[in-house]
Amino acid sequence: MAQDTGMFTVHHTIGNVLCCKCGISMQPNAANMCANCLRSEIDITEGLQKHVIICHCPECDSYLQPPRTWIKAQLESKELLTFCVKRLKNLNKVRLVQAEFIWTEPHSKRIKVKLKVQKEVLHGAILEQAYTVEFVIQDQMCEACTRVQANPDQWVAAVQLRQHVTHRRTFFYLEQLILKHDAASRAIMIKQMDQGIDMFFSNRSHAVKFVEFIGKVVPSRSRNDKQLVSHDSKNNNYNYKYTFSVEISPVCREDLICLPPKVSNSLGNLGPLVICTKVSNHIALLDPFTLRNCFLDAEQYWRASFKSLLSSRLLVEYIVLDVEAVSTEVNIGGSKYALADAQVARISDFGKNDTIFNVRTHLGHLLNPGDYALGYDLYATNSNDSELDKYKGFVLPDVILVKKSYEEKWQKKRGKPRSWKLKSLNMEIDDNVKGRDHEEKMNSEYEQFLRDLEENPDLRFNISLYRNKEYQPSEMASVTDGDDAPSVPLEELLADLDLSEAEVDNDSMRE
């Protein structure tokens, strides 16, 4: 301002003074002493801890936060630095400016942290000083690891997941949901049983939390019981073992269902033959002849439960001979459908007879003449269902188509690796389910589950798929295959997954 008006200004200069101790020239401060002399006269780190002992669990790589809290942290991580700083006493007497690790050998059982602190001394002068704190690591197993090491079978709460069906497709999907949400992180052991999975926990609250998670992702009901293990009559202490039995609805995706008359009436005379199109925390049902649909939550289903008339293992492959559209494409529950009249014939009838079926299907937007489709052969099926007998005068259709078939294209890709992988839980296999036949059945069902993921984008929406680093696309295969089978787009895959040694021990990857 003064320069703009042409006025003369005096530049203010700060004079230097001599230090009262060593006599060197310095800028004046409240103590009239240089920084070196201040440090020699006053030690602001006096009374602060420089040696601390911390407890570390070598099994789960966690540290003890007194009195009983265990915190997981990796070496030289932000979590470990925060833990070390919080363990220091009297640090509130100074102002912490900076904290960083000093590298030490991992086997030295020492962690060194360099701290830079500030404090006001001698008439308002602020002194900054750095010092090193050495943390000595003492190995001590936490309660959970101690219990596991003493007796791996010593559990407090067990969750028994069961689904009374002839396949494990639901548990393959449930396994991916558990991994994505890390719902089994507290489990001390997981065992694969004949019709389900057993989860063992060291704390009842962990089991209760897991049961609540299952109820949010699949329609289920549970009951619990407890057994007295020991008690101390003097201190009035009781030790129990808790068991939670969780039953998952036997209705699965793509199943054909005959609704009971009461349920059909409550849903506005829906059906009675419907197809289950989706299973999450509710069950989505669709009438393939009228495109009417409904959603049942767990409470509504278990109030009047029902079973499937035919499961997806009984699907028969058909060839589409002709398709005539009946209605335009509509969106129901996030999926597209269109009614159409189609002429189909069984693949197995080729060369034997000329049987042709005229059917109404909800797949009019997908099917074209020459395509293949999977459906239920009610013409040759001897249905013995008590609910179906209650509908007097009801005429069963010959065929109900469920989905488009890509079996011919899958044959071309048989034996070729996929560009993606799935993680899997580290489960022990029960002795009753071991054997070559059972292993072949599991592999076949798992391969079918992987195909379902590739065909149905809605099914893989809630699970995590990882890139397969070993996959190398073949240019010749892409040219010869032409119209290839459904696959997972690369943009849906997670980035390269670097597994640490601990994660490799807990989880494995499956193609």
Side-chain angles (χ1 to χ4, degrees):
M1 184 73 182
Q3 293 178 355
D4 296 339
T5 57
M7 296 177 61
F8 175 75
T9 57
V10 178
H11 295 282
H12 295 281
T13 57
I14 301 177
N16 291 345
V17 298
L18 300 179
C19 175
C20 63
K21 287 288 184 180
C22 60
I24 67 171
S25 178
M26 52 163 261
Q27 292 185 357
N29 56 36
N32 286 332
M33 294 173 62
C34 64
N36 293 331
C37 293
L38 272 174
R39 293 191 185 98
S40 63
E41 289 289 329
I42 302 172
D43 183 13
I44 63 175
T45 64
E46 184 179 0
L48 301 180
Q49 285 183 299
K50 297 182 176 63
H51 297 276
V52 182
I53 298 176
I54 57 177
C55 297
H56 171 253
C57 178
E59 298 295 328
C60 59
D61 200 17
S62 57
Y63 295 85
L64 176 62
Q65 177 73 44
R68 297 181 62 182
T69 305
W70 290 86
I71 301 174
K72 287 190 176 183
Q74 300 292 331
L75 286 176
E76 297 193 0
S77 63
K78 182 174 65 175
E79 293 78 11
L80 182 59
L81 184 61
T82 303
F83 167 77
C84 292
V85 172
K86 288 184 178 181
R87 287 299 311 275
L88 298 176
K89 298 179 180 178
N90 300 327
L91 198 61
N92 55 351
K93 295 182 179 180
V94 295
R95 179 174 175 265
L96 181 62
V97 178
Q98 186 179 358
E100 59 183 0
F101 285 106
I102 299 178
W103 188 85
T104 57
E105 292 286 349
H107 61 270
S108 64
K109 301 294 183 182
R110 298 289 188 277
I111 298 177
K112 292 185 178 180
V113 179
K114 182 180 179 181
L115 301 177
K116 188 178 291 184
V117 295
Q118 290 180 351
K119 187 179 181 180
E120 184 178 341
V121 296
L122 294 180
H123 311 294
I126 297 178
L127 182 63
E128 183 176 289
Q129 187 173 348
Y131 72 105
T132 303
V133 182
E134 184 180 56
F135 294 86
V136 181
I137 299 176
Q138 286 188 354
D139 287 339
Q140 175 184 334
M141 285 197 295
C142 60
E143 296 180 2
C145 294
T146 303
R147 185 180 292 110
V148 173
Q149 290 293 329
N151 184 2
D153 296 330
Q154 188 175 0
W155 49 270
V156 175
V159 179
Q160 299 173 344
L161 290 176
R162 295 293 183 270
Q163 186 185 33
H164 302 295
V165 293
T166 57
H167 57 81
R168 297 186 64 87
R169 291 169 54 196
T170 303
F171 289 101
F172 290 142
Y173 180 69
L174 189 60
E175 179 183 14
Q176 299 305 316
L177 292 178
I178 292 173
L179 287 169
K180 181 175 182 178
H181 298 279
D182 201 19
S185 59
R186 298 286 188 176
I188 61 176
M189 185 173 62
I190 306 174
K191 182 178 289 188
Q192 178 182 319
M193 307 301 290
D194 184 21
Q195 288 187 329
I197 300 175
D198 285 355
M199 314 280 290
F200 300 92
F201 298 88
S202 60
N203 196 310
R204 181 181 180 274
S205 61
H206 298 159
V208 172
K209 186 177 180 180
F210 181 77
V211 172
E212 292 176 352
F213 168 79
I214 295 298
K216 292 178 181 178
V217 295
V218 291
S220 61
R221 61 179 177 182
S222 63
R223 60 185 182 90
N224 60 84
D225 200 356
K226 62 182 180 180
Q227 179 183 6
L228 180 64
V229 178
S230 63
H231 76 281
D232 186 351
S233 58
K234 295 182 179 180
N235 296 329
N236 200 26
N237 290 333
Y238 294 83
N239 293 325
Y240 291 96
K241 276 192 173 183
Y242 302 89
T243 303
F244 296 83
S245 178
V246 181
E247 182 183 357
I248 302 175
S249 166
V251 176
C252 301
R253 194 174 60 88
E254 298 175 356
D255 284 358
L256 180 64
I257 302 166
C258 178
L259 294 176
K262 291 184 178 179
V263 177
S264 177
N265 293 336
S266 65
L267 299 175
N269 292 326
L270 180 69
L273 291 181
V274 294
I275 297 175
C276 177
T277 58
K278 184 178 180 181
V279 177
S280 56
N281 57 349
H282 60 268
I283 301 174
L285 303 177
L286 175 71
D287 189 339
F289 308 110
T290 61
L291 295 186
R292 293 182 59 197
N293 71 309
C294 71
F295 298 91
L296 297 178
D297 57 19
E299 183 180 355
Q300 290 175 318
Y301 172 78
W302 292 112
R303 190 185 304 140
S305 61
F306 48 85
K307 295 183 179 180
S308 301
L309 178 64
L310 296 174
S311 66
S312 58
R313 297 188 65 184
L314 301 176
L315 288 172
V316 177
E317 190 172 12
Y318 292 85
I319 185 171
V320 181
L321 303 178
D322 189 20
V323 178
E324 182 180 351
V326 175
S327 67
T328 58
E329 187 176 298
V330 295
N331 192 321
I332 300 176
S335 301
K336 296 179 180 180
Y337 302 102
L339 283 179
D341 290 330
Q343 286 185 347
V344 297
R346 287 187 294 243
I347 297 293
S348 59
D349 287 346
F350 275 19
K352 297 180 181 179
N353 56 58
D354 298 330
T355 305
I356 297 176
F357 302 99
N358 295 313
V359 300
R360 168 135 325 168
T361 177
H362 62 292
L363 304 176
H365 64 299
L366 293 177
L367 299 181
N368 295 305
D371 288 344
Y372 296 91
L374 293 175
Y376 292 107
D377 186 6
L378 301 181
Y379 178 78
T381 301
N382 184 13
S383 58
N384 185 13
D385 187 77
S386 58
E387 301 297 339
L388 189 60
D389 296 337
K390 296 179 182 178
Y391 293 94
K392 296 181 180 180
F394 179 73
V395 180
L396 282 174
D398 295 331
V399 177
I400 296 181
L401 299 182
V402 176
K403 64 178 180 177
K404 188 176 180 179
S405 175
Y406 301 93
E407 185 62 30
E408 184 180 1
K409 298 176 182 179
W410 287 125
Q411 295 295 334
K412 298 180 181 180
K413 298 183 65 175
R414 176 167 294 181
K416 298 179 182 179
R418 288 181 169 87
S419 62
W420 51 277
K421 287 185 176 182
L422 294 175
K423 292 179 69 175
S424 60
L425 292 172
N426 184 19
M427 291 188 289
E428 297 181 6
I429 301 178
D430 189 63
D431 296 336
N432 297 328
V433 296
K434 291 182 179 179
R436 183 176 178 180
D437 295 339
H438 180 268
E439 184 177 356
E440 292 178 354
K441 178 185 174 184
M442 287 281 294
N443 293 335
S444 175
E445 291 178 352
Y446 190 76
E447 175 65 24
Q448 185 60 43
F449 170 69
L450 297 181
R451 292 183 182 182
D452 290 343
L453 289 180
E454 291 179 325
E455 294 177 7
N456 194 342
D458 295 336
L459 190 61
R460 60 177 183 262
F461 178 76
N462 293 322
I463 65 178
S464 300
L465 283 73
Y466 302 94
R467 292 180 182 176
N468 184 5
K469 296 181 180 180
E470 300 177 357
Y471 173 75
Q472 295 180 353
S474 174
E475 296 181 359
M476 294 299 297
S478 61
V479 173
T480 57
D481 290 349
D483 187 15
D484 208 354
S487 60
V488 180
L490 290 177
E491 56 269 16
E492 292 188 18
L493 304 181
L494 297 182
D496 293 341
L497 182 64
D498 295 325
L499 295 176
S500 62
E501 295 181 358
E503 290 175 321
V504 172
D505 293 339
N506 292 334
D507 303 320
S508 59
M509 302 287 286
R510 296 182 64 177
E511 295 183 9

